[in-house]
Amino acid sequence: MVDRQRLIERMRAVLGPGGVIAERNQLRTYECDGLAAFRVVPALVVLPETTEQVQGAVRVCHEEGVPFVARGSGTGLSGGALPVSDGVLIVLSRMRRILEIDYDDQRAVVEPGVINLWVTKEVAPRGYYYAPDPSSQLICSIGGNVAENSGGAHCLKYGFTTNHVTGLEIVLPDGDLVHLGGKAPDPPGYDLVGAFVGSEGTLGIATKVTLRLLRKPEAVRTLMAAFESADAAGDAVSKIIAAGIVPAAVEIMDALAMEAAEAAVHVHYPEGAGAVLIVELDGPEAECTHQFEEVERLCQEAGSTTIQIAEDDDQRALFWKGRKSAFAAVGRISPDYYVQDGVIPRTALGAVLREIADMAEERGLRVANVFHAGDGNLHPLVLYDGDVEGEEERAEELAAKILFACLALGGSITGEHGVGADKKKYMPKQFTADDLDVMQLLRCAFDPDGRCNPGKVFPTPRLCGETPGKRHVHPAEQPGLVEAV
Ligand SMILES: Cc1cc2nc3c(=O)[nH]c(=O)nc-3n(C[C@H](O)[C@H](O)[C@H](O)COP(=O)(O)OP(=O)(O)OC[C@H]3O[C@@H](n4cnc5c(N)ncnc54)[C@H](O)[C@@H]3O)c2cc1C
């Protein structure tokens, strides 16, 4: 049993009195992330300002045998930053410095608490930007983006966070500092940067991140096409991709999602549309102009009822504002909602939408659909009223069934929001026990005592320090294929 007072004193010695939160009411501020259905008050919150303080705090946890969880801005939607009740929450929001911009090598080195959009704001005057653009980019941190391998509307063409991180400084779960990668791309040996990105805070704490910067494209063209149904909009997407065009972004919103966004940001969506498709092309002016005409033609061929073309940056920003505010806007049309995140092969869009509609009707619930249509990443928003008895349970059940439908169609239980605390129970539906054991071996190599964000990602404790007691030997270790950890 941890002596809390001793822990507080040791942490104060590392972080100073202003860097430690121990008072119960203040601790409650940190009891959940964006998935508010899961709440745990941590034993202690610490707010380091430097890598050395992160190391010091983690070392105290290591020596005292206390679990810890990293937190960026707390916008995660899978309970990844959910605290542990007898553990320490290490909040990185005071580490917000952009340390270096290297225009020659097109790299930025930033602290983990830097907000995603700040990177683009910093380099935009020189004609550069940071490509991964989660809808939460106004508030989410780079550290959180790294841990979740976050995506966004423009990841279809430019790739997810993992394609834009070339180097990391990491505090390991025993407090040691390691540097992985650097400014140069693709070093030889195992891709440990790749392993860390998307590891959901289970392998250590990122304290510096080296990011790739891109040149702003010469031209950008954006259109919003209305369709009678999301199915028809999906058909247009298939036609665009089949024509060999790789748009910077292809997003669909259905009628309910539009209703919510309209109430919040007044985009003036076409009356009576069943869905809108936003297509953005970027690149050299001549290529963009040529392909844009082709996209317009393909939308018309797929039955588009109206097509609006963004006349200028303001109108383009409005199209995106509607799309990017869709999650939060749903709060305007429903007292409660659950954001689901699943993936299907792009061609299965129509099938999954029909299934979602049928399942929702059976349960008397509404689902607003928003999706990154180009890569088949769905975000069904299950609407419910927590004050109506049984409705929350029905919504949870429907959200789960949507994931099972994605799996049955050859998809995945998460596209970009992560597994966290929320979806760990579904991991065995997508992976075999052996798959999960092999993943655990990697985790154990970084965190043999299982103190770094425990209880996330994996359904049941299986290997090394996940449970006290005897360690299980993985079959892959027996023939000497891998070293014991
Ligand atoms: C309205 C809204 C829209 C969203 N849209 C998108 C979207 O389009 N695409 C998308 O991918 N996600 C989206 N998200 C989800 C969320 O914003 C992302 O997962 C984001 O990357 C989380 O960043 P954060 O700073 O809030 O991290 P947190 O929620 O604080 O933490 C997330 C995970 O990262 C870990 N972590 C945080 N910092 C570090 C660090 N320095 N080192 C190691 N681990 C760390 C935590 O332990 C946790 O497991 C959205 C969320 C909201 C609320």
Side-chain angles (χ1 to χ4, degrees), residues 37-193:
F38 290 60
R39 286 168 198 264
V40 174
V41 178
L44 214 59
V45 168
V46 298
L47 296 142
E49 291 180 18
T50 63
T51 295
E52 292 70 31
Q53 287 188 345
V54 176
Q55 274 187 282
V58 170
R59 269 203 197 106
V60 170
C61 291
H62 180 64
E63 287 162 12
E64 298 288 336
V66 172
F68 64 90
V69 177
R71 175 178 164 119
S73 301
T75 66
L77 292 169
S78 57
L82 186 72
V84 180
S85 63
D86 58 352
V88 175
L89 190 71
I90 301 180
V91 180
L92 284 312
S93 57
R94 287 187 180 169
M95 293 180 67
R96 290 198 157 169
R97 285 176 306 158
I98 295 179
L99 299 168
E100 185 191 347
I101 303 287
D102 176 349
Y103 288 105
D104 293 336
D105 287 320
Q106 297 192 208
R107 296 288 184 269
V109 182
V110 305
E111 290 187 331
V114 165
I115 299 300
N116 173 298
L117 198 59
W118 293 359
V119 182
T120 292
K121 281 195 173 152
E122 181 76 16
V123 298
R126 294 275 297 266
Y128 290 86
Y129 75 112
Y130 175 62
D133 61 337
S135 302
S136 51
Q137 70 185 141
L138 269 172
I139 42 168
C140 65
S141 73
I142 291 293
N145 292 177
V146 167
E148 297 292 352
N149 186 21
S150 295
H154 292 80
C155 290
L156 171 65
K157 181 169 177 182
Y158 293 102
F160 283 64
T161 300
T162 191
N163 303 108
H164 299 270
V165 174
T166 60
L168 289 167
E169 177 185 89
I170 293 164
V171 174
L172 292 175
D174 61 1
D176 277 0
L177 194 68
V178 292
H179 293 89
L180 306 177
K183 285 185 184 171
D186 304 327
Y190 295 118
D191 179 11
L192 294 179
V193 173

Side-chain angles (χ1 to χ4, degrees), residues 125-359:
R126 294 275 297 266
Y128 290 86
Y129 75 112
Y130 175 62
D133 61 337
S135 302
S136 51
Q137 70 185 141
L138 269 172
I139 42 168
C140 65
S141 73
I142 291 293
N145 292 177
V146 167
E148 297 292 352
N149 186 21
S150 295
H154 292 80
C155 290
L156 171 65
K157 181 169 177 182
Y158 293 102
F160 283 64
T161 300
T162 191
N163 303 108
H164 299 270
V165 174
T166 60
L168 289 167
E169 177 185 89
I170 293 164
V171 174
L172 292 175
D174 61 1
D176 277 0
L177 194 68
V178 292
H179 293 89
L180 306 177
K183 285 185 184 171
D186 304 327
Y190 295 118
D191 179 11
L192 294 179
V193 173
F196 193 90
V197 178
S199 59
E200 302 194 24
T202 60
L203 303 185
I205 300 186
T207 45
K208 283 193 187 88
V209 187
T210 305
L211 303 171
R212 207 183 280 273
L213 299 173
L214 300 186
R215 288 288 297 184
K216 276 202 241 169
E218 188 187 355
V220 184
R221 299 269 186 285
T222 313
L223 66 73
M224 187 161 72
F227 291 86
E228 278 180 4
S229 65
D231 213 354
D235 188 30
V237 175
S238 294
K239 284 182 194 300
I240 292 166
I241 306 248
I245 298 169
V246 183
V250 191
E251 300 285 306
I252 296 179
M253 294 167 70
D254 74 3
L256 204 48
M258 278 189 280
E259 183 188 327
E262 189 63 45
V265 294
H266 316 299
V267 182
H268 306 302
Y269 292 109
E271 282 283 310
V276 286
L277 169 67
I278 302 174
V279 185
E280 189 159 285
L281 301 185
D282 66 13
E285 182 80 54
E287 180 189 296
C288 223
T289 305
H290 170 72
Q291 291 194 336
F292 198 66
E293 283 166 11
E294 184 70 355
V295 167
E296 265 189 272
R297 191 185 65 72
L298 292 167
C299 284
Q300 279 158 358
E301 205 178 285
S304 160
T305 48
T306 55
I307 297 182
Q308 283 173 267
I309 294 170
E311 299 291 338
D312 51 29
D313 285 348
D314 287 347
Q315 200 176 3
R316 175 173 306 110
L318 185 63
F319 289 178
W320 283 119
K321 200 170 172 192
R323 165 61 189 89
K324 293 199 173 192
S325 61
F327 289 3
V330 165
R332 304 218 171 202
I333 59 167
S334 174
D336 300 290
Y337 62 98
Y338 181 93
V339 181
Q340 189 51 289
D341 167 42
V343 181
I344 43 142
R346 190 173 26 79
T347 46
L349 196 61
V352 82
L353 286 177
R354 282 187 290 280
E355 210 170 327
I356 292 173
D358 290 347
M359 291 191 297

